[in-house]
Amino acid sequence: MISIDEARGRILEGLSPTGAETVALAEAQGRILAADITARVSNPPADVSAMDGYALLAADTGPREVIGEAPAGHPFPGQVGAGQAVRLFTGSFVPDGADSIAIQEDCTRLGTTLTVNESPRPGQHIRRKGQDFAAGDVMITAGARLSPRHIGLIAASNTPWVAVRRRPEVAILATGDEIALPGDPIPQGGIVSSNAHALAALVRACGGAPLILPIAADNRNAIATAALSARRCDLLVTTGGASVGDHDLVASALAEQGMVLDFWKIAMRPGKPLMHGRLGDLPLLGLPGNPVSAYLCAVLFLKPAIEKLLGLPGHAPTPVAARVTADLPENDLRFDHLRCRLQTAEDGTLEAIPAARQDSSMMRTLAISDGVILRPPFAKALSAGAKVNVLRLDFMGL
Amino acid sequence: MISIDEARGRILEGLSPTGAETVALAEAQGRILAADITARVSNPPADVSAMDGYALLAADTGPREVIGEAPAGHPFPGQVGAGQAVRLFTGSFVPDGADSIAIQEDCTRLGTTLTVNESPRPGQHIRRKGQDFAAGDVMITAGARLSPRHIGLIAASNTPWVAVRRRPEVAILATGDEIALPGDPIPQGGIVSSNAHALAALVRACGGAPLILPIAADNRNAIATAALSARRCDLLVTTGGASVGDHDLVASALAEQGMVLDFWKIAMRPGKPLMHGRLGDLPLLGLPGNPVSAYLCAVLFLKPAIEKLLGLPGHAPTPVAARVTADLPENDLRFDHLRCRLQTAEDGTLEAIPAARQDSSMMRTLAISDGVILRPPFAKALSAGAKVNVLRLDFMGL
């Protein structure tokens, strides 16, 4: 058995970023930027007014004559001279000659005669050209996950199209004679399969494009046929058939197809059986059949794998500190992941409430858990109130 | 000027949840459940083995005869009697007669003769029918935002279709003679419009469906025509034209169309001008034209509005505590929102680093901010190291 970190390192090593594709800015939210965004305009594009008011010369004294107005988008064509003023609004270009803005609350206007009750300083209430950004500035660097704020900034930099990483295509193959998709007839002794749908949702949440393959029965032909149909994908994920039981056929079926197998068991719970290999150019990740184990392995290995395919580093998920509300026994050699709910205590501390039953068959417990408490190999017993590290599934959106 | 909380309350009051639609489970991730999910099967569907091993009678002594095997999905058709055992695997149905599972590591098998080196207790290593959930159990209640774990649980409960709230359609109307969409020719004195794209991305991130209307020039006809084309939507959001300047036409253009105007200024910075009204059945939210103000108003008002349309409570975003790294001046009567970056200090505390320049025209500052420091009206001056509340834009995905 190897450690989680070593396993993740070996999986990531074999993955390269997908190519770039061009998408309309309106469709780019959440995508990973594949090339830097450089501003094509400056913002503001000229010196503009920061307030509603009047453009004038600060050094003037006495009343000014209002010689025109310049709403945003309609610059004043002339020059502002001594004793003159031009009505402006927030965002209006400052006309030539003027050196400051008197805000309207500080002025009294009668017809075209303006009395300035509080004179501005030179330059006051003017936003200088390029104060936010200048044409040619690198605005956002490749690798950013585009938030709505990024989208706004890219729009403002006058960029209608962006290059983003192609969504990694992840084929998902659930195997087993005993499983049926929801709503399909359930065979005698069978169960409803949940892994393919849960993993497809996880792939989507991580920025990948899932391809759910039809369930493969427990025979070599069915498994090989399904796996080969995924050859054009960026990654093949199987569930089931990665354990050591007599009926675990995935490894042998794919070996016959030329898979280079880097088989291992990982020192973790839940989720010991995990398979990693390569079928030609296609990287393969074999998750356990147990839904809770498959899901946790996906959080720990598939999520970083998709990130690596997206050109990101693919780090381990970052834990947060919490206070555990129950005693925890000492741990054995397998890295344990205790499902827990989270709440904020009155003193503001995050509290982790471990599920009473940690059996890896409890899907309902997983569904209502907000996170998992990390228990490294040989972690000492802890009393209620001790500090633990927690992976926040809720914050990961997983 | 009214408070942020009062404004939000008035906006939410006028909104009702959208209807439900049926979507395939595979498409339901991130959607809001509109009806409870009830299990149609039990999990496990029968007593099953929790391990690879042998089903037998715990009270037996001496060697057993292995009378068959039952891989998962292939239940053993017969009965297990005294002195007998059936080979099982994780998930196999426990055959009639057997009362416990001896795990394979504790057994020695020679042909069909099985020696059990460590006898199980009665019931050991058996997962009981319905231990996870039973048919008829309510699994997930309406109002849940469906995570990949929910999707897995819904699949396991044998439900291929789910009722979710229809995505609220939010029409977005940017107004102004001076603005052009990215890549379009920029008029003399004009700027590139970013609000429509930033808001559309925010609407998507919140679970809504944005409809970007063509930009309306600063005249009543153009604004009225655009707004009326949004009548079938759940909400109309305008940007610009909500201030008090002479060229703010949205309110007057829509008043001519029969809009019942609930106009206000909000005691907040950035973002004072905010308009709320109703054009027939269509609720209307008028955001400022300034992109930073528009975005922050969208976080504070549009996000909860979309949540209300999705049948959720539509609470104010929840702040987290952080330690500010710079002195902050006392605040005036307007609730202030200081853009900041966030980092974790060596002692694990979240630190908020306010942007040096809080000018609301700085889009680039907003784009690289992780959050905003909340400064309530008349908040006292703070020294570096003091505790502040922060809205985490990064965690909100906004």
Side-chain angles (χ1 to χ4, degrees):
Chain A
M1 293 201 292
I2 64 170
S3 75
I4 291 176
D5 284 343
E6 189 185 342
R8 183 162 37 226
R10 284 161 73 164
I11 292 167
L12 296 185
E13 211 177 332
L15 300 172
S16 308
T18 62
E21 66 171 320
T22 295
V23 298
L25 178 58
E27 311 298 327
Q29 189 229 333
R31 303 295 296 268
I32 306 298
L33 198 60
D36 294 352
I37 297 287
T38 302
R40 295 173 181 172
V41 292
S42 298
N43 186 42
D47 291 358
V48 299
S49 178
M51 305 293 281
D52 292 345
Y54 294 87
L56 40 72
L57 282 83
D60 269 0
T61 52
R64 276 83 160 182
E65 189 197 354
V66 179
I67 59 170
E69 72 165 29
H74 300 280
F76 184 73
Q79 181 94 10
V80 178
Q84 296 181 324
V86 166
R87 175 83 169 116
L88 294 188
F89 304 89
T90 304
S92 295
F93 284 18
V94 177
D96 289 344
D99 65 6
S100 56
I101 310 294
I103 65 177
Q104 62 189 19
E105 288 83 350
D106 293 340
C107 299
T108 313
R109 180 171 170 179
L110 203 66
T112 60
T113 304
L114 187 76
T115 307
V116 179
N117 305 312
E118 195 163 335
S119 281
R121 297 185 310 276
Q124 205 175 5
H125 303 309
I126 292 178
R127 289 180 180 141
R128 294 295 171 193
K129 175 180 177 174
Q131 168 183 301
D132 188 10
F133 56 82
D137 284 358
V138 172
M139 307 290 280
I140 311 173
T141 50
R145 189 181 294 271
L146 296 176
S147 72
R149 283 171 290 133
H150 289 132
I151 300 289
L153 188 63
I154 295 171
S157 75
N158 203 23
T159 302
W161 306 99
V162 291
V164 297
R165 292 273 161 216
R166 181 173 56 70
R167 290 187 196 281
E169 276 191 281
V170 179
I172 300 166
L173 176 61
T175 65
D177 284 351
E178 77 278 25
I179 59 176
L181 288 180
D184 278 348
I186 305 171
Q188 162 74 2
I191 58 169
V192 183
S193 171
S194 62
N195 276 333
H197 284 95
L199 293 175
L202 183 140
V203 166
R204 269 206 195 94
C206 293
L211 180 74
I212 300 180
L213 299 172
I215 289 173
D218 276 330
N219 68 71
R220 288 184 169 78
N221 269 351
I223 293 168
T225 302
L228 291 175
S229 75
R231 275 217 140 135
R232 283 181 352 97
C233 292
D234 297 294
L235 181 63
L236 170 61
V237 175
T238 64
T239 70
S243 184
V244 294
D246 300 4
H247 287 268
D248 295 311
L249 294 169
V250 172
S252 57
L254 297 184
E256 284 175 9
Q257 302 302 319
M259 178 175 69
V260 178
L261 186 60
D262 185 14
F263 186 87
W264 63 60
K265 303 180 202 173
I266 295 196
M268 67 175 279
R269 182 183 322 106
K272 187 168 68 172
L274 186 94
M275 186 171 67
H276 177 237
R278 178 172 285 270
L279 186 58
D281 287 338
L282 177 67
L284 185 140
L285 186 61
L287 303 181
N290 173 301
V292 175
S293 304
Y295 175 82
L296 281 171
C297 284
V299 170
L300 295 175
F301 303 108
L302 179 53
K303 177 176 188 286
I306 293 171
E307 288 168 355
K308 182 82 187 289
L309 289 167
L310 285 167
L312 303 172
H315 293 305
T318 307
V320 298
R323 187 166 63 202
V324 69
T325 61
D327 296 350
L328 297 181
E330 66 176 334
N331 191 23
D332 63 13
L333 79 170
R334 290 163 66 186
F335 203 125
D336 207 354
H337 299 81
L338 307 178
R339 276 73 75 201
C340 68
R341 304 203 74 158
L342 296 169
Q343 66 184 16
T344 304
E346 279 186 18
D347 67 357
T349 309
L350 188 68
E351 287 186 333
I353 309 157
R357 189 155 197 169
Q358 291 290 337
D359 187 318
S360 72
S361 69
M362 305 296 274
M363 299 184 63
R364 197 178 193 173
T365 303
L366 178 67
I368 62 169
S369 293
D370 305 305
V372 288
I373 299 170
L374 299 180
R375 296 285 287 156
F378 307 112
K380 292 202 171 63
L382 291 180
S383 302
K387 193 185 138 191
V388 290
N389 280 325
V390 172
L391 292 186
R392 292 203 67 158
L393 302 172
D394 52 353
F395 280 5
M396 290 193 259
L398 298 185
Chain B
M1 293 201 293
I2 63 169
S3 75
I4 291 176
D5 283 344
E6 188 184 341
R8 183 163 36 227
R10 284 161 72 165
I11 293 168
L12 296 185
E13 210 178 333
L15 300 172
S16 309
T18 62
E21 67 171 321
T22 295
V23 298
L25 179 58
E27 310 298 325
Q29 189 230 331
R31 303 295 296 269
I32 306 298
L33 198 60
D36 295 353
I37 297 287
T38 301
R40 296 173 180 170
V41 292
S42 297
N43 187 42
D47 291 358
V48 299
S49 178
M51 305 293 282
D52 292 345
Y54 295 86
L56 39 72
L57 283 84
D60 267 1
T61 52
R64 275 82 159 183
E65 189 196 355
V66 179
I67 59 169
E69 71 165 29
H74 300 279
F76 184 73
Q79 182 95 10
V80 178
Q84 295 182 325
V86 166
R87 175 85 169 115
L88 295 189
F89 304 89
T90 304
S92 295
F93 284 19
V94 177
D96 289 344
D99 67 6
S100 56
I101 310 294
I103 65 177
Q104 64 189 17
E105 288 82 350
D106 293 340
C107 300
T108 311
R109 181 170 169 179
L110 203 66
T112 59
T113 303
L114 186 76
T115 307
V116 180
N117 305 312
E118 193 162 336
S119 281
R121 297 186 308 277
Q124 205 175 4
H125 303 309
I126 292 178
R127 289 179 180 143
R128 294 296 172 192
K129 175 179 177 174
Q131 169 183 301
D132 189 10
F133 56 82
D137 283 357
V138 173
M139 307 289 280
I140 311 174
T141 51
R145 189 181 294 271
L146 296 175
S147 72
R149 284 170 290 133
H150 288 131
I151 300 289
L153 188 62
I154 295 171
S157 75
N158 203 22
T159 302
W161 306 97
V162 290
V164 297
R165 292 275 160 215
R166 180 173 56 71
R167 289 189 197 279
E169 275 191 282
V170 179
I172 299 166
L173 175 62
T175 65
D177 284 350
E178 78 279 23
I179 59 176
L181 289 180
D184 278 348
I186 305 171
Q188 162 74 0
I191 57 169
V192 183
S193 171
S194 62
N195 275 332
H197 284 96
L199 292 175
L202 182 141
V203 166
R204 269 207 196 93
C206 293
L211 179 74
I212 301 181
L213 299 172
I215 289 174
D218 276 331
N219 68 70
R220 288 185 169 78
N221 270 352
I223 293 168
T225 303
L228 291 175
S229 75
R231 277 220 139 128
R232 284 185 346 100
C233 292
D234 297 295
L235 180 63
L236 169 61
V237 175
T238 64
T239 71
S243 183
V244 294
D246 301 3
H247 288 268
D248 295 310
L249 294 169
V250 172
S252 56
L254 298 185
E256 284 175 9
Q257 302 303 318
M259 177 174 69
V260 179
L261 186 60
D262 185 14
F263 185 87
W264 61 64
K265 303 181 202 171
I266 295 195
M268 68 176 278
R269 181 183 321 106
K272 185 168 71 173
L274 187 95
M275 186 171 67
H276 178 238
R278 179 172 284 272
L279 186 58
D281 286 338
L282 176 67
L284 185 139
L285 186 61
L287 303 181
N290 172 302
V292 174
S293 304
Y295 175 81
L296 281 172
C297 285
V299 171
L300 295 175
F301 303 107
L302 179 53
K303 176 176 189 286
I306 293 171
E307 288 167 356
K308 182 82 189 288
L309 289 167
L310 285 166
L312 303 172
H315 293 307
T318 307
V320 298
R323 188 165 64 200
V324 69
T325 60
D327 296 349
L328 297 181
E330 66 177 334
N331 191 23
D332 62 13
L333 78 171
R334 290 163 66 187
F335 202 125
D336 208 352
H337 300 81
L338 307 179
R339 276 73 73 202
C340 67
R341 304 203 74 159
L342 296 169
Q343 66 184 17
T344 304
E346 279 186 16
D347 67 356
T349 309
L350 188 69
E351 286 185 333
I353 309 157
R357 189 156 197 167
Q358 291 290 336
D359 187 317
S360 72
S361 69
M362 306 295 276
M363 299 184 63
R364 196 178 192 173
T365 303
L366 178 67
I368 62 170
S369 293
D370 305 305
V372 289
I373 299 170
L374 299 181
R375 296 286 287 156
F378 307 112
K380 293 204 171 62
L382 291 180
S383 302
K387 194 186 138 191
V388 289
N389 280 325
V390 172
L391 292 186
R392 292 204 68 158
L393 301 173
D394 53 351
F395 280 7
M396 290 193 259
L398 296 186

